[in-house]
Amino acid sequence: MAIHTPDWVKHAVFYQIFPDRFARSPRLRHPAGIHFKAWGSPPEEQGFQGGDLLGVVDRLDYLRDLGVTALYLTPIFTAAANHRYHTYDYYEVDPLLGGNTALRELLDQAHARDMRVVLDGAFNHASRGFWAFHHILENGANSPYLDWFIIHGWPLRPYSSDAEHPPNYACWWGLPALPKFNIYNAGVRDYLLDVARYWITFGSDGWRLDVPTEIDDDSFWQAFRQVVKTVNPEAYVCGEIWYPAQRWLLGDQFDAVMNYPFSRAALGFCGGHTLRRYKPGNYELKPLSARGFARQIDLLQAQYDWEVNQAQLNLLDSHDTARALWIMGEDKSALRLCVLCQMTMPGAPCIYYGDEIGMSAAQDPSCRAAFPWHDERQWDLDLLAFYRRAIALRQRYPTLRTGTFQPLYARVGVYAFARILDRQWAVVILNAQATAVTVQLEMPELSREGQVFEGVWNSGRYVVSRQALQRVTVPARDALVLVSDAA
Protein backbone atom coordinates (compact mmCIF):
# COMPACT_ATOMS: atom_id res chain seq x y z
CA MET A 1 0.00 0.00 0.00
CA ALA A 2 1.32 3.42 -0.97
CA ILE A 3 1.40 5.59 2.14
CA HIS A 4 0.32 9.23 2.00
CA THR A 5 0.37 11.66 4.90
CA PRO A 6 -0.95 15.25 4.82
CA ASP A 7 1.49 17.55 3.09
CA TRP A 8 0.68 20.51 5.34
CA VAL A 9 1.81 18.57 8.43
CA LYS A 10 5.32 18.18 6.98
CA HIS A 11 5.62 21.97 6.95
CA ALA A 12 3.81 22.65 10.24
CA VAL A 13 5.00 23.91 13.59
CA PHE A 14 2.45 22.78 16.19
CA TYR A 15 1.58 24.37 19.50
CA GLN A 16 -0.21 22.27 22.12
CA ILE A 17 -2.82 24.07 24.20
CA PHE A 18 -4.47 22.91 27.43
CA PRO A 19 -7.56 25.13 27.05
CA ASP A 20 -8.49 25.67 30.71
CA ARG A 21 -5.02 27.08 31.41
CA PHE A 22 -4.00 28.91 28.24
CA ALA A 23 -6.01 32.14 28.12
CA ARG A 24 -9.27 33.55 29.45
CA SER A 25 -11.14 35.99 27.21
CA PRO A 26 -13.16 38.92 28.59
CA ARG A 27 -15.39 38.49 25.54
CA LEU A 28 -16.91 35.28 26.89
CA ARG A 29 -19.83 36.00 29.21
CA HIS A 30 -20.77 33.12 31.48
CA PRO A 31 -24.16 32.79 33.19
CA ALA A 32 -24.53 34.29 36.64
CA GLY A 33 -23.30 32.08 39.42
CA ILE A 34 -20.30 30.63 37.53
CA HIS A 35 -17.10 30.91 39.56
CA PHE A 36 -13.57 29.91 38.57
CA LYS A 37 -10.40 29.64 40.59
CA ALA A 38 -8.13 32.64 40.27
CA TRP A 39 -5.98 32.65 37.14
CA GLY A 40 -2.57 31.34 38.11
CA SER A 41 -3.78 29.31 41.09
CA PRO A 42 -1.49 26.36 41.87
CA PRO A 43 -2.38 23.61 39.37
CA GLU A 44 -2.09 21.03 42.16
CA GLU A 45 -5.39 22.40 43.46
CA GLN A 46 -7.09 21.04 40.33
CA GLY A 47 -10.36 22.82 39.58
CA PHE A 48 -11.14 25.14 36.68
CA GLN A 49 -9.29 28.40 36.05
CA GLY A 50 -11.53 29.51 33.20
CA GLY A 51 -9.42 29.41 30.06
CA ASP A 52 -11.62 29.28 26.96
CA LEU A 53 -11.50 29.06 23.17
CA LEU A 54 -12.07 32.77 22.67
CA GLY A 55 -8.94 33.24 24.75
CA VAL A 56 -7.11 31.17 22.15
CA VAL A 57 -8.60 33.36 19.40
CA ASP A 58 -7.40 36.47 21.23
CA ARG A 59 -3.82 35.08 21.23
CA LEU A 60 -3.64 33.87 17.63
CA ASP A 61 -1.51 36.83 16.56
CA TYR A 62 0.97 36.05 19.35
CA LEU A 63 1.14 32.47 18.08
CA ARG A 64 1.50 33.57 14.47
CA ASP A 65 4.36 35.89 15.46
CA LEU A 66 5.98 32.96 17.26
CA GLY A 67 5.84 31.05 13.98
CA VAL A 68 3.13 28.54 14.89
CA THR A 69 1.09 27.17 11.98
CA ALA A 70 -1.01 24.48 13.71
CA LEU A 71 -2.75 24.08 17.06
CA TYR A 72 -3.35 20.85 18.93
CA LEU A 73 -6.02 21.30 21.58
CA THR A 74 -6.45 18.81 24.39
CA PRO A 75 -10.16 17.82 24.68
CA ILE A 76 -12.74 20.55 24.40
CA PHE A 77 -16.00 18.58 24.59
CA THR A 78 -18.37 18.82 27.54
CA ALA A 79 -16.84 17.07 30.54
CA ALA A 80 -16.60 17.21 34.31
CA ALA A 81 -12.82 17.58 34.60
CA ASN A 82 -10.51 20.46 33.71
CA HIS A 83 -8.60 18.22 31.27
CA ARG A 84 -11.90 17.09 29.70
CA TYR A 85 -10.94 13.48 29.09
CA HIS A 86 -14.14 12.62 31.02
CA THR A 87 -16.37 13.34 28.02
CA TYR A 88 -20.14 13.28 28.48
CA ASP A 89 -21.26 14.94 25.25
CA TYR A 90 -19.11 14.46 22.16
CA TYR A 91 -21.24 16.75 20.01
CA GLU A 92 -20.98 19.83 22.23
CA VAL A 93 -17.96 21.96 23.02
CA ASP A 94 -17.98 22.61 26.76
CA PRO A 95 -19.96 25.81 27.54
CA LEU A 96 -17.18 26.78 29.95
CA LEU A 97 -14.95 27.02 26.85
CA GLY A 98 -17.53 29.01 24.91
CA GLY A 99 -19.47 26.19 23.25
CA ASN A 100 -19.66 25.35 19.59
CA THR A 101 -19.84 29.01 18.57
CA ALA A 102 -16.43 29.66 20.15
CA LEU A 103 -14.92 26.75 18.25
CA ARG A 104 -16.48 28.09 15.06
CA GLU A 105 -14.78 31.45 15.65
CA LEU A 106 -11.47 29.78 16.49
CA LEU A 107 -11.50 27.68 13.33
CA ASP A 108 -12.45 30.62 11.15
CA GLN A 109 -9.85 32.94 12.66
CA ALA A 110 -7.12 30.30 12.63
CA HIS A 111 -7.81 29.36 9.02
CA ALA A 112 -7.76 33.03 8.04
CA ARG A 113 -4.17 33.06 9.36
CA ASP A 114 -3.29 29.80 7.53
CA MET A 115 -3.26 27.90 10.82
CA ARG A 116 -4.72 24.42 11.25
CA VAL A 117 -6.56 23.15 14.33
CA VAL A 118 -6.40 19.51 15.48
CA LEU A 119 -8.80 18.23 18.13
CA ASP A 120 -8.26 15.56 20.78
CA GLY A 121 -10.55 12.53 20.72
CA ALA A 122 -10.88 10.25 23.76
CA PHE A 123 -12.83 7.38 22.20
CA ASN A 124 -11.70 4.46 24.36
CA HIS A 125 -13.78 5.60 27.31
CA ALA A 126 -16.46 8.12 28.20
CA SER A 127 -17.53 9.28 31.66
CA ARG A 128 -20.08 8.48 34.32
CA GLY A 129 -22.10 11.37 32.95
CA PHE A 130 -22.15 10.13 29.36
CA TRP A 131 -25.80 9.73 28.43
CA ALA A 132 -25.74 6.00 27.70
CA PHE A 133 -23.83 5.15 30.90
CA HIS A 134 -26.11 7.43 32.90
CA HIS A 135 -29.06 5.51 31.45
CA ILE A 136 -27.54 2.28 32.78
CA LEU A 137 -26.95 3.85 36.20
CA GLU A 138 -30.62 4.82 36.36
CA ASN A 139 -32.10 1.63 34.89
CA GLY A 140 -29.64 -1.12 35.69
CA ALA A 141 -30.02 -4.28 33.65
CA ASN A 142 -33.23 -2.88 32.14
CA SER A 143 -31.35 -0.26 30.12
CA PRO A 144 -31.31 -0.92 26.36
CA TYR A 145 -27.79 0.56 26.31
CA LEU A 146 -26.42 -2.17 28.53
CA ASP A 147 -24.16 -3.59 25.80
CA TRP A 148 -22.55 -0.22 25.08
CA PHE A 149 -20.26 -0.90 28.03
CA ILE A 150 -18.76 -4.01 29.62
CA ILE A 151 -20.61 -4.79 32.85
CA HIS A 152 -19.28 -7.45 35.23
CA GLY A 153 -21.90 -7.41 37.99
CA TRP A 154 -24.69 -5.66 39.88
CA PRO A 155 -25.28 -3.28 41.43
CA LEU A 156 -22.78 -1.03 39.69
CA ARG A 157 -20.11 0.59 41.84
CA PRO A 158 -19.56 3.89 40.02
CA TYR A 159 -17.70 5.58 42.89
CA SER A 160 -15.71 2.69 44.32
CA SER A 161 -12.06 2.18 43.46
CA ASP A 162 -10.57 0.47 46.51
CA ALA A 163 -8.89 -2.91 46.12
CA GLU A 164 -11.62 -4.83 47.95
CA HIS A 165 -14.46 -3.25 45.99
CA PRO A 166 -13.14 -2.26 42.56
CA PRO A 167 -15.47 -0.99 39.83
CA ASN A 168 -17.49 -3.89 38.45
CA TYR A 169 -17.36 -2.72 34.87
CA ALA A 170 -14.51 -2.18 32.42
CA CYS A 171 -12.94 1.25 32.87
CA TRP A 172 -9.69 2.97 32.01
CA TRP A 173 -6.91 2.08 34.47
CA GLY A 174 -9.52 1.02 37.01
CA LEU A 175 -10.93 4.55 37.34
CA PRO A 176 -14.70 4.33 37.86
CA ALA A 177 -15.20 7.80 36.37
CA LEU A 178 -14.02 6.49 32.97
CA PRO A 179 -16.18 3.55 31.81
CA LYS A 180 -14.73 1.86 28.75
CA PHE A 181 -16.83 1.59 25.59
CA ASN A 182 -17.64 -1.83 24.18
CA ILE A 183 -16.11 -1.10 20.79
CA TYR A 184 -17.58 -4.30 19.33
CA ASN A 185 -21.11 -2.99 19.76
CA ALA A 186 -22.34 -1.76 16.36
CA GLY A 187 -24.13 1.20 17.93
CA VAL A 188 -20.99 2.33 19.74
CA ARG A 189 -18.93 2.09 16.55
CA ASP A 190 -21.50 4.03 14.54
CA TYR A 191 -21.72 6.69 17.24
CA LEU A 192 -17.96 7.23 17.53
CA LEU A 193 -17.41 7.22 13.76
CA ASP A 194 -20.17 9.79 13.38
CA VAL A 195 -18.46 11.98 16.00
CA ALA A 196 -15.21 11.69 14.02
CA ARG A 197 -17.02 12.68 10.83
CA TYR A 198 -19.01 15.50 12.46
CA TRP A 199 -16.07 17.56 13.70
CA ILE A 200 -14.04 17.18 10.51
CA THR A 201 -17.12 18.33 8.58
CA PHE A 202 -17.41 21.20 11.08
CA GLY A 203 -13.97 22.32 9.94
CA SER A 204 -11.34 20.89 12.25
CA ASP A 205 -8.16 19.71 10.55
CA GLY A 206 -7.60 16.37 12.22
CA TRP A 207 -7.65 14.22 15.33
CA ARG A 208 -5.11 13.44 17.99
CA LEU A 209 -6.32 10.13 19.43
CA ASP A 210 -6.08 9.44 23.14
CA VAL A 211 -4.83 5.95 24.16
CA PRO A 212 -5.81 4.41 20.80
CA THR A 213 -4.01 1.11 21.44
CA GLU A 214 -6.62 0.33 24.10
CA ILE A 215 -9.11 -0.01 21.27
CA ASP A 216 -7.33 -3.11 20.09
CA ASP A 217 -9.19 -3.45 16.82
CA ASP A 218 -7.54 -2.57 13.51
CA SER A 219 -10.87 -2.63 11.69
CA PHE A 220 -12.22 0.17 13.88
CA TRP A 221 -9.25 2.44 13.21
CA GLN A 222 -9.33 1.56 9.52
CA ALA A 223 -12.97 2.64 9.44
CA PHE A 224 -12.10 5.74 11.46
CA ARG A 225 -9.46 6.74 8.91
CA GLN A 226 -11.84 6.10 6.03
CA VAL A 227 -14.54 8.28 7.59
CA VAL A 228 -12.13 11.14 8.31
CA LYS A 229 -10.31 11.05 4.99
CA THR A 230 -13.58 10.87 3.04
CA VAL A 231 -14.54 14.25 4.48
CA ASN A 232 -11.06 15.75 4.18
CA PRO A 233 -8.24 13.72 2.57
CA GLU A 234 -5.69 16.06 4.14
CA ALA A 235 -7.00 15.74 7.70
CA TYR A 236 -4.33 14.60 10.18
CA VAL A 237 -4.82 11.40 12.21
CA CYS A 238 -2.23 11.16 14.99
CA GLY A 239 -2.23 8.54 17.75
CA GLU A 240 -0.93 8.81 21.29
CA ILE A 241 1.44 5.84 21.31
CA TRP A 242 4.56 6.01 23.48
CA TYR A 243 6.48 3.13 21.89
CA PRO A 244 7.23 1.84 18.36
CA ALA A 245 3.95 1.81 16.45
CA GLN A 246 4.55 0.04 13.14
CA ARG A 247 1.20 -1.77 13.30
CA TRP A 248 -0.71 1.52 13.19
CA LEU A 249 1.47 3.33 10.65
CA LEU A 250 1.13 1.21 7.53
CA GLY A 251 -1.07 3.70 5.69
CA ASP A 252 -4.47 2.26 6.65
CA GLN A 253 -4.87 3.63 10.20
CA PHE A 254 -2.89 6.64 11.50
CA ASP A 255 -0.76 9.17 9.67
CA ALA A 256 1.63 9.49 12.61
CA VAL A 257 2.00 9.20 16.36
CA MET A 258 3.17 11.50 19.13
CA ASN A 259 6.89 10.85 18.81
CA TYR A 260 7.81 10.22 22.43
CA PRO A 261 10.81 8.06 21.41
CA PHE A 262 12.20 11.17 19.69
CA SER A 263 11.69 13.24 22.83
CA ARG A 264 13.46 10.67 25.00
CA ALA A 265 16.42 10.61 22.62
CA ALA A 266 16.65 14.41 22.31
CA LEU A 267 16.32 14.98 26.06
CA GLY A 268 18.92 12.30 26.77
CA PHE A 269 21.49 13.76 24.38
CA CYS A 270 20.93 17.50 24.80
CA GLY A 271 20.19 17.39 28.53
CA GLY A 272 22.44 14.54 29.57
CA HIS A 273 24.55 16.58 32.01
CA THR A 274 21.58 17.87 34.04
CA LEU A 275 18.88 15.29 33.27
CA ARG A 276 16.64 14.47 36.21
CA ARG A 277 15.85 10.87 37.11
CA TYR A 278 12.37 10.73 35.65
CA LYS A 279 10.17 8.20 33.84
CA PRO A 280 7.67 9.80 31.44
CA GLY A 281 5.24 7.09 30.39
CA ASN A 282 7.26 4.62 32.51
CA TYR A 283 10.24 4.97 30.15
CA GLU A 284 13.33 5.96 32.10
CA LEU A 285 15.22 8.90 30.64
CA LYS A 286 18.93 8.22 30.32
CA PRO A 287 21.86 10.43 29.33
CA LEU A 288 22.96 9.59 25.79
CA SER A 289 26.33 9.96 24.15
CA ALA A 290 26.46 11.18 20.56
CA ARG A 291 26.73 7.59 19.39
CA GLY A 292 23.86 6.49 21.62
CA PHE A 293 21.74 9.32 20.26
CA ALA A 294 22.73 8.36 16.71
CA ARG A 295 21.58 4.78 17.30
CA GLN A 296 18.21 6.00 18.53
CA ILE A 297 17.72 8.37 15.60
CA ASP A 298 18.79 5.72 13.08
CA LEU A 299 16.26 3.33 14.60
CA LEU A 300 13.48 5.93 14.42
CA GLN A 301 14.25 6.71 10.79
CA ALA A 302 14.31 3.02 9.86
CA GLN A 303 11.09 2.04 11.61
CA TYR A 304 8.63 3.80 9.34
CA ASP A 305 8.01 4.86 5.76
CA TRP A 306 9.52 8.24 4.85
CA GLU A 307 6.00 9.67 4.45
CA VAL A 308 5.33 8.77 8.09
CA ASN A 309 8.65 10.12 9.36
CA GLN A 310 7.88 13.51 7.86
CA ALA A 311 4.51 13.66 9.64
CA GLN A 312 5.53 12.45 13.11
CA LEU A 313 4.58 14.83 15.92
CA ASN A 314 8.01 15.62 17.39
CA LEU A 315 7.41 16.86 20.91
CA LEU A 316 9.69 17.45 23.89
CA ASP A 317 6.95 17.46 26.52
CA SER A 318 3.19 17.56 26.89
CA HIS A 319 0.32 17.70 29.37
CA ASP A 320 1.22 14.09 30.27
CA THR A 321 4.86 14.75 31.19
CA ALA A 322 6.92 17.15 33.22
CA ARG A 323 7.97 20.23 31.29
CA ALA A 324 11.13 19.88 29.25
CA LEU A 325 13.00 22.59 31.15
CA TRP A 326 12.29 20.88 34.48
CA ILE A 327 13.32 17.49 33.05
CA MET A 328 16.68 18.99 32.05
CA GLY A 329 17.31 20.43 35.49
CA GLU A 330 16.46 24.03 34.52
CA ASP A 331 19.35 24.06 32.03
CA LYS A 332 18.20 26.46 29.33
CA SER A 333 21.18 25.68 27.12
CA ALA A 334 19.90 22.08 27.02
CA LEU A 335 16.39 23.26 26.17
CA ARG A 336 17.69 25.47 23.38
CA LEU A 337 19.73 22.61 21.92
CA CYS A 338 16.66 20.34 22.07
CA VAL A 339 14.60 22.94 20.22
CA LEU A 340 17.24 23.24 17.50
CA CYS A 341 17.14 19.46 17.17
CA GLN A 342 13.33 19.61 16.90
CA MET A 343 13.37 22.34 14.28
CA THR A 344 15.88 20.65 11.99
CA MET A 345 14.89 16.95 12.18
CA PRO A 346 12.27 15.25 9.98
CA GLY A 347 8.79 15.49 11.49
CA ALA A 348 6.50 18.26 12.71
CA PRO A 349 7.81 19.99 15.86
CA CYS A 350 5.27 20.55 18.64
CA ILE A 351 5.73 23.14 21.39
CA TYR A 352 3.87 22.74 24.68
CA TYR A 353 2.25 26.04 25.61
CA GLY A 354 4.49 28.28 27.69
CA ASP A 355 7.74 26.42 27.07
CA GLU A 356 8.79 29.32 24.88
CA ILE A 357 8.74 31.73 27.84
CA GLY A 358 10.48 29.36 30.23
CA MET A 359 7.57 27.71 32.07
CA SER A 360 8.95 24.81 34.09
CA ALA A 361 7.27 22.28 36.35
CA ALA A 362 7.15 18.62 37.36
CA GLN A 363 4.63 16.17 35.93
CA ASP A 364 0.83 16.36 35.93
CA PRO A 365 -0.80 18.32 37.44
CA SER A 366 2.10 20.75 37.94
CA CYS A 367 2.81 20.94 34.20
CA ARG A 368 -0.69 22.32 33.58
CA ALA A 369 -0.25 25.77 35.11
CA ALA A 370 -1.90 28.88 33.71
CA PHE A 371 -0.01 30.91 31.13
CA PRO A 372 1.06 34.15 32.88
CA TRP A 373 -0.26 36.62 30.29
CA HIS A 374 -0.69 39.43 32.79
CA ASP A 375 2.81 39.31 34.28
CA GLU A 376 5.57 39.42 31.69
CA ARG A 377 8.08 39.60 34.51
CA GLN A 378 7.62 35.82 34.60
CA TRP A 379 8.59 35.54 30.92
CA ASP A 380 12.08 34.75 29.71
CA LEU A 381 12.08 37.15 26.78
CA ASP A 382 15.48 35.98 25.56
CA LEU A 383 14.17 32.42 25.37
CA LEU A 384 11.07 33.64 23.54
CA ALA A 385 13.28 35.42 20.99
CA PHE A 386 15.29 32.22 20.61
CA TYR A 387 12.15 30.18 19.87
CA ARG A 388 11.05 32.71 17.25
CA ARG A 389 14.45 32.58 15.59
CA ALA A 390 14.66 28.76 15.65
CA ILE A 391 11.16 28.39 14.18
CA ALA A 392 11.96 31.00 11.52
CA LEU A 393 15.04 28.98 10.58
CA ARG A 394 12.88 25.92 9.87
CA GLN A 395 10.36 27.95 7.92
CA ARG A 396 12.99 29.73 5.85
CA TYR A 397 14.60 26.55 4.46
CA PRO A 398 12.33 23.94 2.84
CA THR A 399 15.08 21.33 3.10
CA LEU A 400 14.81 21.46 6.92
CA ARG A 401 11.17 20.43 6.53
CA THR A 402 11.07 17.87 3.72
CA GLY A 403 14.66 17.26 2.68
CA THR A 404 16.04 13.73 2.85
CA PHE A 405 17.90 12.80 6.02
CA GLN A 406 21.47 11.52 6.17
CA PRO A 407 23.55 11.15 9.35
CA LEU A 408 27.12 12.43 9.01
CA TYR A 409 28.91 12.34 12.37
CA ALA A 410 28.43 11.08 15.93
CA ARG A 411 31.39 11.39 18.27
CA VAL A 412 32.42 12.97 21.58
CA GLY A 413 29.21 14.91 22.25
CA VAL A 414 28.72 16.04 18.64
CA TYR A 415 26.03 14.82 16.26
CA ALA A 416 25.69 15.99 12.65
CA PHE A 417 23.34 15.23 9.78
CA ALA A 418 22.43 16.53 6.33
CA ARG A 419 19.04 17.41 4.87
CA ILE A 420 18.90 17.54 1.06
CA LEU A 421 16.05 18.80 -1.13
CA ASP A 422 16.73 19.26 -4.83
CA ARG A 423 19.53 21.86 -5.01
CA GLN A 424 19.28 22.97 -1.39
CA TRP A 425 21.46 21.33 1.24
CA ALA A 426 21.57 21.88 4.98
CA VAL A 427 24.16 20.48 7.36
CA VAL A 428 23.19 20.57 11.04
CA ILE A 429 25.81 20.01 13.76
CA LEU A 430 24.64 19.74 17.38
CA ASN A 431 27.27 20.19 20.09
CA ALA A 432 26.17 18.95 23.52
CA GLN A 433 29.57 19.67 25.09
CA ALA A 434 30.39 22.57 27.41
CA THR A 435 33.21 23.72 25.12
CA ALA A 436 33.41 24.62 21.44
CA VAL A 437 34.56 21.80 19.19
CA THR A 438 36.18 21.58 15.75
CA VAL A 439 35.34 18.57 13.60
CA GLN A 440 35.84 17.26 10.09
CA LEU A 441 32.66 16.13 8.34
CA GLU A 442 32.77 13.51 5.63
CA MET A 443 30.14 14.55 3.09
CA PRO A 444 27.74 12.40 1.05
CA GLU A 445 28.81 11.28 -2.42
CA LEU A 446 26.32 13.74 -3.95
CA SER A 447 28.37 16.66 -2.68
CA ARG A 448 30.84 18.19 -5.12
CA GLU A 449 34.33 19.58 -4.83
CA GLY A 450 34.23 23.29 -4.11
CA GLN A 451 30.61 23.31 -2.91
CA VAL A 452 30.20 26.28 -0.53
CA PHE A 453 28.26 26.11 2.74
CA GLU A 454 27.34 29.31 4.60
CA GLY A 455 26.37 29.50 8.26
CA VAL A 456 22.73 30.47 8.81
CA TRP A 457 22.69 29.51 12.51
CA ASN A 458 26.01 30.79 13.85
CA SER A 459 28.47 32.11 11.31
CA GLY A 460 30.97 30.27 9.19
CA ARG A 461 31.87 29.57 5.59
CA TYR A 462 33.10 26.15 4.58
CA VAL A 463 34.00 24.60 1.24
CA VAL A 464 33.86 20.91 0.36
CA SER A 465 37.40 19.67 -0.15
CA ARG A 466 38.26 16.02 -0.78
CA GLN A 467 34.60 15.21 -0.09
CA ALA A 468 34.68 16.72 3.41
CA LEU A 469 34.10 19.94 5.29
CA GLN A 470 37.38 20.63 7.04
CA ARG A 471 37.81 22.11 10.53
CA VAL A 472 34.19 23.01 11.22
CA THR A 473 33.86 24.84 14.54
CA VAL A 474 30.65 24.56 16.59
CA PRO A 475 30.01 26.73 19.68
CA ALA A 476 29.50 25.12 23.08
CA ARG A 477 25.97 23.88 23.89
CA ASP A 478 24.77 25.16 20.51
CA ALA A 479 24.40 24.21 16.88
CA LEU A 480 25.87 25.20 13.58
CA VAL A 481 23.54 25.10 10.57
CA LEU A 482 25.17 25.41 7.16
CA VAL A 483 23.24 25.83 3.92
CA SER A 484 24.26 25.41 0.30
CA ASP A 485 21.89 26.30 -2.55
CA ALA A 486 24.13 25.26 -5.44
CA ALA A 487 24.72 21.53 -5.14
Side-chain angles (χ1 to χ4, degrees):
M1 170 186 286
I3 296 177
H4 171 75
T5 55
D7 287 334
W8 66 265
V9 174
K10 302 161 191 171
H11 299 274
V13 174
F14 278 84
Y15 191 88
Q16 183 191 348
I17 290 175
F18 192 86
D20 185 65
R21 305 292 166 79
F22 181 63
R24 185 193 293 181
S25 176
R27 297 189 293 123
L28 182 57
R29 301 296 183 184
H30 292 286
I34 298 293
H35 301 288
F36 295 111
K37 286 184 173 287
W39 192 256
S41 296
E44 291 78 7
E45 295 178 4
Q46 298 289 356
F48 295 78
Q49 295 190 27
D52 56 69
L53 297 188
L54 294 185
V56 180
V57 174
D58 295 345
R59 305 298 176 173
L60 285 177
D61 288 340
Y62 164 85
L63 295 173
R64 181 182 59 186
D65 292 344
L66 181 60
V68 168
T69 62
L71 307 180
Y72 150 42
L73 308 178
T74 54
I76 61 173
F77 306 124
T78 311
N82 59 42
H83 50 71
R84 295 186 169 87
Y85 285 99
H86 294 53
T87 311
Y88 63 80
D89 189 339
Y90 287 86
Y91 288 102
E92 292 293 330
V93 174
D94 199 314
L96 296 178
L97 295 177
N100 291 11
T101 56
L103 178 60
R104 174 80 279 145
E105 182 174 338
L106 173 57
L107 291 173
D108 290 345
Q109 291 296 323
H111 291 162
R113 293 166 173 81
D114 294 322
M115 288 185 186
R116 313 286 178 128
V117 180
V118 172
L119 304 182
D120 198 323
F123 298 132
N124 172 70
H125 50 264
S127 70
R128 281 184 295 243
F130 179 70
W131 58 272
F133 193 77
H134 175 73
H135 202 279
I136 297 171
L137 288 177
E138 292 293 327
N139 292 280
N142 294 318
S143 173
Y145 297 106
L146 196 63
D147 194 43
W148 276 45
F149 298 90
I150 304 166
I151 309 298
H152 298 310
W154 301 99
L156 291 187
R157 296 194 288 266
Y159 291 95
S160 176
S161 58
D162 64 85
E164 292 187 8
H165 302 92
N168 52 354
Y169 51 88
C171 47
W172 186 73
W173 279 30
L175 298 174
L178 299 173
K180 180 177 173 64
F181 281 118
N182 176 11
I183 200 65
Y184 300 106
N185 179 290
V188 169
R189 292 170 83 97
D190 289 347
Y191 176 84
L192 295 177
L193 293 177
D194 189 66
V195 170
R197 179 188 300 108
Y198 180 85
W199 291 109
I200 299 297
T201 303
F202 193 86
S204 66
D205 298 292
W207 287 104
R208 177 270 189 187
L209 301 169
D210 183 59
V211 296
T213 62
E214 300 197 23
I215 299 179
D216 190 15
D217 182 347
D218 290 353
S219 67
F220 174 79
W221 292 121
Q222 289 161 351
F224 186 97
R225 180 184 182 86
Q226 180 65 29
V227 161
V228 167
K229 299 290 187 175
T230 297
V231 178
N232 179 3
E234 287 294 292
Y236 187 40
V237 181
C238 179
E240 181 210 5
I241 301 178
W242 292 62
Y243 49 84
Q246 291 93 330
R247 168 184 166 187
W248 295 274
L249 297 177
L250 299 175
D252 62 341
Q253 296 184 58
F254 308 154
D255 294 312
V257 294
M258 300 180 77
N259 202 357
Y260 281 106
F262 166 82
S263 71
R264 294 193 289 270
L267 293 166
F269 175 61
C270 300
H273 298 294
T274 56
L275 202 66
R276 296 182 193 262
R277 296 185 65 85
Y278 173 58
K279 290 186 175 183
N282 290 322
Y283 289 89
E284 185 176 2
L285 291 176
K286 298 179 180 179
L288 290 176
S289 66
R291 288 179 175 172
F293 179 63
R295 284 192 293 271
Q296 294 298 315
I297 295 300
D298 288 348
L299 179 61
L300 287 175
Q301 294 301 312
Q303 278 177 339
Y304 308 118
D305 187 274
W306 178 238
E307 274 286 303
V308 172
N309 287 339
Q310 294 178 91
Q312 292 283 69
L313 194 66
N314 287 351
L315 68 164
L316 299 177
D317 52 0
S318 74
H319 65 295
D320 284 326
T321 75
R323 287 188 175 267
L325 185 55
W326 183 92
I327 292 171
M328 292 180 285
E330 310 298 333
D331 182 352
K332 290 181 180 177
S333 71
L335 177 61
R336 289 192 295 268
L337 195 60
C338 268
V339 171
L340 287 171
C341 182
Q342 253 192 320
M343 296 300 159
T344 53
M345 285 273 185
C350 183
I351 300 162
Y352 186 44
Y353 78 97
D355 279 359
E356 75 277 12
I357 60 166
M359 289 180 69
S360 179
Q363 62 267 28
D364 165 28
S366 301
C367 61
R368 302 174 180 182
F371 195 111
W373 292 109
H374 306 300
D375 187 3
E376 290 194 10
R377 292 172 299 178
Q378 298 183 42
W379 296 25
D380 184 330
L381 296 178
D382 290 337
L383 185 61
L384 177 60
F386 168 87
Y387 266 86
R388 287 174 174 158
R389 184 175 165 229
I391 294 169
L393 175 73
R394 181 178 182 85
Q395 293 178 336
R396 180 179 175 187
Y397 296 102
T399 191
L400 292 178
R401 305 193 299 273
T402 58
T404 60
F405 177 85
Q406 184 161 346
L408 299 178
Y409 185 96
R411 205 175 305 157
V412 198
V414 178
Y415 179 79
F417 57 94
R419 306 289 308 274
I420 306 170
L421 180 67
D422 299 326
R423 293 176 59 82
Q424 186 174 88
W425 290 53
V427 171
V428 180
I429 314 157
L430 304 169
N431 177 14
Q433 296 190 80
T435 58
V437 296
T438 299
V439 299
Q440 175 175 306
L441 295 182
E442 302 298 323
M443 296 295 287
E445 291 182 3
L446 290 174
S447 64
R448 60 176 176 79
E449 189 76 7
Q451 184 177 345
V452 177
F453 283 82
E454 298 282 355
V456 295
W457 186 277
N458 288 314
S459 60
R461 186 175 188 274
Y462 299 91
V463 180
V464 176
S465 174
R466 299 187 299 279
Q467 207 170 326
L469 295 178
Q470 311 285 343
R471 298 193 58 78
V472 179
T473 300
V474 191
R477 308 291 290 153
D478 204 342
L480 179 63
V481 180
L482 306 171
V483 169
S484 172
D485 285 307

